[in-house]
Amino acid sequence: MSRSDHQPPSGSESDIERHVLNYARTHPEMGQAKVAEALSAQGHEISPSGVRYIWQRHQLETTTKRLQALARHNPKGKSAVLSPRQTKVLERAAASRKIARFSAVIGDDAGSEQERSSLILLAAARLFAERGYDGTSVRDIAETVGLLPGSIYHHYPSKEDLFVSVHREGFRQLTALVDAAVARGKTPRQRLELLCAAHIDALVAVNPITTVAGKSLFGRHAPALEKRLASDRQRYEDILRTLIADLPLKRSIDQSLLRKFILGALNWTLVWYKPGGKSPGEIAAQLMAQLLPDTK
Amino acid sequence: MSRSDHQPPSGSESDIERHVLNYARTHPEMGQAKVAEALSAQGHEISPSGVRYIWQRHQLETTTKRLQALARHNPKGKSAVLSPRQTKVLERAAASRKIARFSAVIGDDAGSEQERSSLILLAAARLFAERGYDGTSVRDIAETVGLLPGSIYHHYPSKEDLFVSVHREGFRQLTALVDAAVARGKTPRQRLELLCAAHIDALVAVNPITTVAGKSLFGRHAPALEKRLASDRQRYEDILRTLIADLPLKRSIDQSLLRKFILGALNWTLVWYKPGGKSPGEIAAQLMAQLLPDTK
DNA sequence: GTCTATAGAATGATAGAC
DNA sequence: GTCTATCATTCTATAGAC
């Protein structure tokens, strides 16, 4: 009664509502526009937003909700309550929500649901880290975030661009971690040791984004792709270069080679590191002890 | 005349021979069996080996020879002496022979034409080294050795098996090279330096087979494939392990970590090494100087 | 009514295998 | 050469939010 003054003059209100709810039951996958169009064609004048208004009052605004309501009211009654396709839609939606919730824990916006683009980035990072660029298909990525392959292209223009984005973000995070670690060091040697520990830590960490960055260092990609990745790495290597220049080294030491030896030893941890063994800090300390025993 | 007693009694010999040579001209790509069948169907009784016998007398036993004879006798006379497809067959054969001749110089069986399998192995190694496992298709390999893709499967049951063969052979050669180098060393430290030099040399050498072995060390392949490669590497790492155990090291040094640092530094050369710069020997010497300055 | 994100189907290229 | 699978990508329609 309280809402009666918002309703049209004719008594057709409950009539229209019944039709809309009927459509929600018989054609749950139809959207506002389609339902409004269909009803109007049958002589029941209604706008898309009108359909949505009724849906909202009954908690049926989305395809998922309409399908769930259907499944709830005919629980295993008849065999074919939902068609296989409808079941699939529900499953994808569930997967998608689950992923969004899970990722919020890891990502930067802890708590709130993340943007789809970030979720795609994270999923791609995980797969790239695990199987490499060639070993990962756009299909795999889409499946992981609960989308269809084509939908990825709304967010990233190509697979290569997606990889470049992961790579860039990886080096951004890696650089930030290393910068923060180095800042805590008092002597040049201590700073180098902290860099090494942070570097190893980032490579073997749970965060797949920095792992991708680390792996890309010795990954062989197509020349065109490799070219786009080079600049990300340059800045990072510069940090190590200036740090080594500060060390009190004998003249006979080739600084360029020393830097390469350190990078090689550090990155090699990706191949042999196992979580239960030596910690990144211990490994870094040993590397310093073996490579620069007399420096302080 | 000297051969006349081997010929059949009837005067039909030249008649049959004419037919066979005719087929060599009109259907050069048909084999013994097909020609024999076709002629028999026309009432000219002849067996496949009979066809081949006549071909041999006229130096026409192979498709290549028949096509070349055709091209020779109508040199640019008419426009379409050979169909595009026939030309392609000739080109492939030429490529195949050229490759066999060239490879005989590099390979172990210098002089004699190598087995096709070895040629495939070598070509595969070159491509794998250049583009990686995923980046190389069976088609690419076949093209390089002048075979059709399917023919590879006569020699190797699958792409993965072919890769495993390359890998195994790579480590066989790598181990042999390193063993020979180490044998020349007088002190433990000298032996280690020689191992390092030989290792770098093998990785960056022209020989793609050892390069594949080196690259595989930090290559990420499917777990199933990775498992098949592990044993090849084990034996190699053992050489390094025993060599390090002989060194006069301080107690505080972790030998297992030292080995990993060395392997990392060595393998990392694959990423940065450029032919014009420092030689493998110089790099190895610097590594020793920086990592074991007080050892003799 | 308008806009964006997504679905769904289709395309052309290319892969490994035989 | 042929087969089948899968790839990255594109196209069109439309669901859902505002």
Side-chain angles (χ1 to χ4, degrees):
Chain A
M1 308 284 182
S2 60
R3 256 198 293 272
S4 63
D5 42 5
H6 291 163
Q7 286 156 13
S10 80
S12 68
E13 174 257 344
S14 57
D15 193 37
I16 279 279
E17 182 150 348
R18 203 160 26 78
H19 281 298
V20 169
L21 294 179
N22 227 18
Y23 259 92
R25 236 172 284 122
T26 55
H27 300 94
E29 70 286 352
M30 277 169 72
Q32 315 157 8
K34 275 237 168 149
V35 171
E37 192 189 358
L39 285 175
S40 298
Q42 289 169 29
H44 311 287
E45 283 302 332
I46 191 166
S47 72
S49 36
V51 172
R52 185 172 163 78
Y53 177 57
I54 294 169
W55 277 350
Q56 275 185 315
R57 287 218 317 266
H58 294 265
Q59 301 277 335
L60 294 172
E61 325 92 76
T62 67
T63 309
T64 309
K65 287 185 177 176
R66 294 194 289 280
L67 287 175
Q68 283 175 333
L70 254 187
R72 213 179 308 121
H73 285 109
N74 303 36
K76 300 165 194 165
K78 293 153 196 167
S79 57
V81 182
L82 295 188
S83 71
R85 176 187 266 174
Q86 293 176 332
T87 310
K88 225 167 124 187
V89 168
L90 263 186
E91 276 168 5
R92 192 167 45 234
S96 189
R97 252 175 292 116
K98 196 168 141 193
I99 288 153
R101 224 177 305 123
F102 168 77
S103 307
V105 180
I106 289 189
D108 354 36
D109 298 332
S112 77
E113 270 206 6
Q114 290 197 306
E115 291 293 329
R116 259 289 145 71
S117 306
S118 322
L119 293 183
I120 294 171
L121 199 79
L122 193 63
R126 196 161 37 204
L127 291 171
F128 285 144
E130 209 170 283
R131 320 177 189 177
Y133 180 75
D134 288 319
T136 304
S137 71
V138 176
R139 280 175 138 74
D140 297 334
I141 299 168
E143 210 164 290
T144 310
V145 289
L147 292 180
L148 290 177
S151 305
I152 299 290
Y153 288 80
H154 179 74
H155 302 273
Y156 297 92
S158 72
K159 182 186 175 185
E160 191 178 296
D161 282 283
L162 175 52
F163 184 82
V164 171
S165 296
V166 172
H167 193 262
R168 185 146 302 158
E169 175 63 14
F171 269 96
R172 199 190 60 69
Q173 294 187 21
L174 186 59
T175 308
L177 286 168
V178 164
D179 276 342
V182 164
R184 291 200 311 273
K186 301 248 181 330
T187 66
R189 180 187 151 130
Q190 206 177 13
R191 279 197 283 274
L192 183 57
E193 182 171 333
L194 287 166
L195 175 140
C196 290
H199 183 96
I200 298 174
D201 205 40
L203 292 206
V204 301
V206 236
N207 180 355
I209 296 186
T210 50
T211 306
V212 169
K215 283 207 170 140
S216 83
L217 284 167
F218 43 53
R220 300 281 303 178
H221 301 112
L225 174 54
E226 206 65 34
K227 210 170 171 182
R228 300 181 64 183
L229 306 175
S231 66
D232 294 345
R233 298 171 189 160
Q234 196 55 54
R235 264 200 57 220
Y236 185 73
E237 279 207 39
D238 286 342
I239 301 177
L240 184 56
R241 185 176 289 114
T242 57
L243 224 56
I244 287 178
D246 288 345
L247 287 173
L249 292 171
K250 287 195 198 129
R251 283 250 201 72
S252 61
I253 298 288
D254 182 321
Q255 292 202 1
S256 164
L257 275 182
L258 176 58
R259 179 165 45 87
K260 282 157 181 162
F261 292 153
I262 291 178
L263 263 180
L266 289 180
N267 290 328
W268 188 246
T269 52
L270 256 176
V271 175
W272 59 265
Y273 184 87
K274 292 278 181 307
K278 289 233 180 339
S279 76
E282 289 167 336
I283 297 168
Q286 269 282 331
L287 181 60
M288 288 299 110
Q290 296 184 14
L291 209 50
L292 306 166
D294 36 359
T295 326
K296 281 281 134 40
Chain B
M1 308 281 177
S2 61
R3 256 197 295 270
S4 61
D5 42 7
H6 292 161
Q7 285 154 16
S10 80
S12 69
E13 174 258 343
S14 58
D15 193 36
I16 280 279
E17 182 151 349
R18 203 159 26 79
H19 281 299
V20 169
L21 293 179
N22 228 16
Y23 259 92
R25 236 171 284 122
T26 55
H27 301 94
E29 70 286 354
M30 278 170 73
Q32 313 158 11
K34 275 238 170 140
V35 171
E37 192 189 358
L39 285 176
S40 298
Q42 289 168 29
H44 311 286
E45 283 301 331
I46 189 165
S47 72
S49 38
V51 171
R52 183 170 167 80
Y53 176 57
I54 294 169
W55 279 349
Q56 274 185 316
R57 286 217 318 266
H58 295 265
Q59 300 278 334
L60 294 172
E61 325 92 77
T62 68
T63 309
T64 310
K65 287 185 179 177
R66 292 195 290 281
L67 287 174
Q68 284 175 332
L70 255 186
R72 212 179 308 120
H73 285 109
N74 303 35
K76 299 165 194 165
K78 292 153 195 167
S79 57
V81 181
L82 294 189
S83 72
R85 175 186 268 174
Q86 292 177 333
T87 310
K88 222 167 128 187
V89 169
L90 260 187
E91 277 167 3
R92 190 168 48 235
S96 186
R97 252 175 291 116
K98 195 167 141 194
I99 289 154
R101 223 178 303 124
F102 168 77
S103 307
V105 180
I106 290 189
D108 353 38
D109 298 331
S112 76
E113 265 210 9
Q114 289 197 308
E115 291 293 330
R116 261 286 146 70
S117 308
S118 322
L119 294 183
I120 295 171
L121 199 79
L122 192 64
R126 196 161 37 204
L127 291 171
F128 285 144
E130 208 169 284
R131 320 177 189 176
Y133 181 74
D134 289 318
T136 304
S137 71
V138 176
R139 283 176 136 74
D140 295 336
I141 298 168
E143 211 165 289
T144 309
V145 288
L147 292 179
L148 287 177
S151 309
I152 300 290
Y153 289 82
H154 177 70
H155 302 273
Y156 298 92
S158 73
K159 182 187 174 185
E160 190 178 297
D161 283 283
L162 175 52
F163 184 82
V164 170
S165 296
V166 172
H167 193 262
R168 184 146 303 157
E169 174 62 15
F171 269 95
R172 200 191 58 71
Q173 293 188 21
L174 186 59
T175 308
L177 286 169
V178 164
D179 276 342
V182 164
R184 291 201 312 273
K186 302 246 180 337
T187 67
R189 180 188 151 130
Q190 206 178 15
R191 279 197 283 275
L192 183 58
E193 182 171 334
L194 287 167
L195 176 140
C196 290
H199 184 97
I200 298 175
D201 205 41
L203 292 207
V204 301
V206 239
N207 181 354
I209 296 188
T210 50
T211 306
V212 168
K215 282 207 170 138
S216 85
L217 284 166
F218 43 53
R220 301 284 302 177
H221 301 113
L225 174 54
E226 206 66 33
K227 210 170 171 182
R228 300 180 64 183
L229 305 176
S231 65
D232 294 346
R233 297 171 188 158
Q234 197 54 53
R235 264 200 56 220
Y236 184 73
E237 280 206 38
D238 286 342
I239 300 178
L240 185 56
R241 185 177 290 115
T242 57
L243 224 55
I244 287 177
D246 288 345
L247 287 173
L249 293 170
K250 289 193 198 131
R251 283 249 202 73
S252 61
I253 298 289
D254 182 320
Q255 293 201 1
S256 162
L257 276 183
L258 176 58
R259 178 164 46 86
K260 282 157 183 162
F261 293 153
I262 291 177
L263 262 180
L266 290 181
N267 290 329
W268 189 248
T269 52
L270 255 175
V271 175
W272 59 266
Y273 183 87
K274 294 276 182 308
K278 290 233 181 340
S279 75
E282 288 167 337
I283 298 169
Q286 269 281 331
L287 181 60
M288 288 299 110
Q290 296 185 12
L291 210 49
L292 307 166
D294 37 359
T295 325
K296 283 281 132 42

